[in-house]
Amino acid sequence: LQVVALIGQDKKYKEIAEELELGYETVKTYAARIRKKLGVGSKVAVALWAQQHGLITNEAQKNMDAMLSEKPWLAQGNKDEE
């Protein structure tokens, strides 16, 4: 759940790797497995799932709300952005 929570906080894979002391490729692999388990196709969709399950901070919530108001199609996200 740490990777999901950090994705939900709008962290880049490189930042997640550094914070959790993991390799970048390891984080990418974890993220791909998470997307598959959740049945979603994008990092944004994982972030939305984290939001719905209370895994993100208030600051990240504000950032996500702002991003989705500008680009609502990202909520459907079929393409990963990293």
Side-chain angles (χ1 to χ4, degrees), residues 12-35:
K12 304 287 185 208
Y13 293 155
K14 182 178 178 185
E15 295 170 320
I16 294 170
E18 290 171 1
E19 187 166 331
L20 298 179
E21 298 180 358
L22 298 170
Y24 174 78
E25 291 297 324
T26 300
V27 172
K28 281 181 58 176
T29 299
Y30 287 171
R33 289 178 183 167
I34 290 164
R35 288 191 309 273

Side-chain angles (χ1 to χ4, degrees), residues 4 7 14 16 21 23-25 37 39 41 47 55-56 62 66 69:
V4 173
I7 288 172
K14 182 178 178 185
I16 294 170
E21 298 180 358
Y24 174 78
E25 291 297 324
K37 282 188 177 191
L55 297 175
I56 64 173
K62 289 177 189 176
S69 69

Side-chain angles (χ1 to χ4, degrees), residues 30-66:
Y30 287 171
R33 289 178 183 167
I34 290 164
R35 288 191 309 273
K36 185 175 180 178
K37 282 188 177 191
L38 295 178
V40 299
S42 74
K43 185 178 174 189
V44 172
V46 173
L48 288 171
W49 185 92
Q51 172 191 20
Q52 292 166 353
H53 291 83
L55 297 175
I56 64 173
T57 64
N58 288 336
E59 184 65 29
Q61 176 70 49
K62 289 177 189 176
N63 291 341
M64 183 178 296
D65 290 344

